[in-house]
Amino acid sequence: MTTAAELWARLDNLPRPTLGELFSTQRDGGEGGSEPGNDERVANLSGRIELDEGGILFDWSKTHLDSAVISAFKDLAETMNFAEMRKKLFAGEIVNPTEGRAADHGTLRGTGDEAKVEEAMALIDRMGMLVEAIHQGALGEIEHLIHIGIGGSALGPALGVDALSRDLSYCDVHVVSNIDGVALEEAFARCDPAKTLIAVASKTFTTIETMTNAESALKWLSDNGVSDPGGRVIALTANPEGAVEWGVDETRILPFQESVGGRYSIWSSIGFPIAMAVGMDDFRAFLAGAKAVDAHFRDTDISDNLVVRAAFADLYYARVRGCQTRAVFAYDERLGLFPDYLQQLEMESNGKRVTVDMQPVDGPTAPITWGGVGTDAQHAVFQLLHQGTHLVPVDFIASIAPGDDLDPAHHRILLMNCFAQGAALMAGKKGDDPARNYPGDRPSATILCDDLDAATLGALIAFHEHRTFANAVLLGINPFDQFGVELGKQMAKAIEQGGERFDASTEALLQAAGLSQ
Ligand code: F6P
């Protein structure tokens, strides 16, 4: 079988038609032309994933994927045992060898090994019962929830609450992650302590930022007349023993499985604040949307697999075209936090430098994920995308149905701008004046949702989880560990404990801040 290195070399040496050439009708059925023309190209490189209601269109036609590139990537998928790895993921086998763990986030939405799914569904039901009991007043009059967590224990809840609870919220949720007390104080200022619940979300229940913030939240309750602050805490964790030790009553601990990674945990009890805000029916719809994407990713042949196709394009740009970044622009205010969410998912998963066999990788792995919301970003960073010297593959995400009830002009202008940007990046425009010249041939993909409801958000997140996994398999790396974050934590601890000397710059900073021991 051809080796991965040979396939990357093949990809490097393929002809590089421009997007204009790939779209050119002249190639359509022309002599020897192997590439489809306009309509056929769009049909071949876009497809829908259907949800219970509505669905999502994934259009990858404005990328440089062509039949030769796709064929080389399909060979790479074979070399990298892609089908086998995908099977292992869904069978609950160990796909995180450095930590000896499976990656069971799919089970929480009903996908995977039967016994594991059963266990996961029991955990979701337990959360559902608590959410419904709280909504019915079991813990008194609760109007506010301060959700304390960081990284994967905060980014998903913040995104879910922001995206889904603008029109209707059963509970006013504040997600606090930063150890900077300014963040927690801001939440305190917006909540009535007598009507506030605290969710402490931490897979490990040891993360210093979260535990420190949780202590301060308890003190705030007690300082403000709440007689039993501990009775207002809900723990969301894969370490229930740790939560008990910290003082949380077992009845208010919502556990999840150790085999669910932090950045993949939104489906678990870490999603509690989303369920508190939108209700369990919508939370279950969110899980169902993700399950539809699981089915597509698991059961669709590589040729038609929309997730795998996205991963092919990602790797083509990162490895073959040397793109160091990938941008995501949500043309939907409700998805303003989606780029932040993707940053952790993609960069913490695939920002790696060794393969699963502990060999150094022989090329770039994850690009830097960044982005923002349209149309705001057009007036801030799009200059670089159109005329800068970097080639940045862009994803546009939009919803056909509006999220507002104002004059339809708002949504029409939003969508027209989104589509215009993709067209402009691709077409460019030649002019005599170099300053007004647009090179074009700049790739983009468009993810167009029928509507942005709970199921659609679940589907969008699951699509990106699997896209991240597919990238990792094709690169031969483990997307489920994150040892890179440990060193800084150890150094911070060493500074706190004192007695260790650091470099001169760090010592001087510690001294300037009055922190040297
Ligand atoms: O430091 C990184 C990290 O471990 C993330 O992977 C994780 O999402 C975050 O910290 C929070 O961890 P925990 O949920 O255990 O508090």
Side-chain angles (χ1 to χ4, degrees):
M1 192 185 287
T2 328
T3 65
E6 285 164 346
L7 288 163
W8 287 118
R10 179 170 135 201
L11 278 157
D12 267 337
N13 292 322
L14 286 174
R16 297 184 180 190
T18 63
L19 292 170
E21 286 164 347
L22 290 171
F23 264 85
S24 159
T25 42
Q26 285 166 6
R27 296 172 69 88
D28 197 3
E31 268 187 15
S34 59
E35 293 305 325
N38 289 334
D39 294 346
E40 210 185 323
R41 177 171 176 81
V42 175
N44 285 349
L45 288 172
S46 55
R48 276 176 66 89
I49 296 181
E50 299 299 339
L51 307 175
D52 283 346
E53 279 174 38
I56 308 177
L57 172 74
F58 296 86
D59 177 1
W60 253 251
S61 63
K62 291 196 196 77
T63 68
H64 292 87
L65 291 181
D66 64 9
S67 50
V69 171
I70 290 176
S71 151
F73 271 116
K74 278 191 192 165
D75 290 348
L76 180 69
E78 210 174 319
T79 294
M80 301 308 288
N81 283 325
F82 178 80
E84 191 54 33
M85 288 301 294
R86 180 175 56 177
K87 215 189 240 168
K88 277 187 168 183
L89 173 75
F90 288 115
E93 289 179 32
I94 289 177
V95 287
N96 174 2
T98 50
E99 296 180 306
R101 286 185 194 147
D104 286 329
H105 44 282
T107 63
L108 290 154
R109 48 227 194 190
T111 307
D113 170 73
E114 217 174 295
K116 288 187 172 194
V117 167
E118 208 173 302
E119 184 201 345
M121 289 302 129
L123 294 171
I124 299 283
D125 287 345
R126 183 183 154 98
M127 174 170 102
M129 281 191 289
L130 185 62
V131 168
E132 275 154 15
I134 297 170
H135 281 157
Q136 284 158 17
L139 295 183
E141 195 185 343
I142 298 297
E143 280 182 10
H144 314 278
L145 171 67
I146 299 183
H147 174 94
I148 296 174
I150 199 164
S153 295
L155 289 161
L159 166 65
V161 169
D162 192 44
L164 302 178
S165 73
R166 286 170 182 244
D167 292 339
L168 168 74
S169 184
Y170 293 108
C171 183
D172 165 46
V173 178
H174 300 264
V175 176
V176 176
S177 51
N178 202 346
I179 185 63
D180 186 340
V182 172
L184 198 53
E185 272 182 353
E186 189 182 334
F188 292 161
R190 289 162 193 242
C191 298
D192 173 356
K195 297 176 183 170
T196 301
L197 201 63
I198 309 290
V200 183
S202 174
K203 179 177 174 185
T204 55
F205 229 74
T206 58
T207 304
I208 188 162
E209 293 93 330
T210 299
M211 303 325 294
T212 309
N213 277 333
E215 294 284 358
S216 295
L218 282 186
K219 182 167 181 314
W220 171 72
L221 288 178
S222 131
D223 289 351
N224 286 279
V226 175
S227 55
D228 174 24
R232 294 284 190 77
V233 174
I234 312 286
L236 320 170
T237 185
N239 176 13
E241 298 78 20
V244 169
E245 211 170 294
W246 192 77
V248 188
D249 188 85
E250 268 182 73
T251 55
R252 282 177 282 96
I253 296 177
L254 296 175
F256 64 96
Q257 313 96 304
E258 186 66 52
S259 52
V260 170
R263 57 192 170 277
Y264 299 87
S265 64
I266 187 173
W267 324 101
S268 72
S269 59
I270 294 293
F272 171 78
I274 304 174
M276 281 293 292
V278 302
M280 266 323 273
D281 286 351
D282 269 12
F283 190 77
R284 287 186 193 280
F286 171 70
L287 300 178
K291 187 178 182 185
V293 173
D294 291 336
H296 173 88
F297 178 58
R298 183 191 57 200
D299 303 335
T300 310
D301 184 75
I302 283 188
S303 306
D304 299 315
N305 198 306
L306 298 169
V307 176
V308 176
R309 183 177 297 160
F312 286 173
D314 293 340
L315 289 170
Y316 180 70
Y317 290 115
R319 299 259 321 206
V320 180
R321 297 284 183 112
C323 300
Q324 294 189 336
T325 81
R326 162 180 125 66
V328 182
F329 295 100
Y331 273 66
D332 194 308
E333 191 68 19
R334 295 165 294 177
L335 290 177
L337 295 177
F338 200 57
D340 291 8
Y341 183 85
L342 291 185
Q343 279 187 331
Q344 187 199 18
L345 177 63
E346 300 182 356
M347 293 166 70
E348 194 166 82
S349 295
N350 289 347
K352 306 286 167 61
R353 53 190 298 113
V354 291
T355 65
V356 275
D357 307 320
M358 295 299 128
Q359 298 305 310
V361 292
D362 57 358
T365 53
I368 293 156
T369 309
W370 63 286
V373 287
T375 60
D376 292 5
Q378 285 176 209
H379 301 274
V381 296
F382 273 43
Q383 164 64 37
L384 180 147
L385 300 180
H386 287 285
Q387 288 189 317
T389 50
H390 295 79
L391 182 69
V392 182
V394 174
D395 281 7
F396 295 106
I397 308 179
S399 162
I400 297 173
D404 68 278
D405 295 323
L406 300 184
D407 183 333
H410 284 271
H411 200 62
R412 207 175 50 240
I413 295 169
L414 180 73
L415 287 187
M416 286 186 322
N417 268 278
C418 175
F419 304 149
Q421 289 300 325
L425 285 166
M426 177 165 91
K429 192 174 177 198
K430 300 272 171 285
D432 295 338
D433 174 357
R436 291 179 172 80
N437 201 45
Y438 302 82
D441 196 31
R442 301 196 165 199
S444 67
T446 305
I447 299 177
L448 185 60
C449 312
D450 288 350
D451 195 0
L452 182 63
D453 53 13
T456 306
L457 182 68
L460 282 175
I461 296 175
F463 179 89
H464 286 86
E465 284 180 351
H466 291 317
R467 177 179 181 174
T468 302
F469 173 75
N471 267 275
V473 172
L474 295 170
L475 288 165
I477 60 176
N478 174 4
F480 297 116
D481 63 13
Q482 60 283 317
F483 293 110
V485 300
E486 295 306 323
L487 180 60
K489 289 185 196 172
Q490 288 161 14
M491 296 262 233
K493 206 173 234 171
I495 289 174
E496 195 182 5
Q497 285 166 349
E500 198 170 316
R501 299 286 298 164
F502 297 90
D503 61 88
S505 161
T506 307
E507 288 292 340
L509 290 169
L510 288 168
Q511 198 161 13
L515 292 173
S516 62
Q517 317 252 348

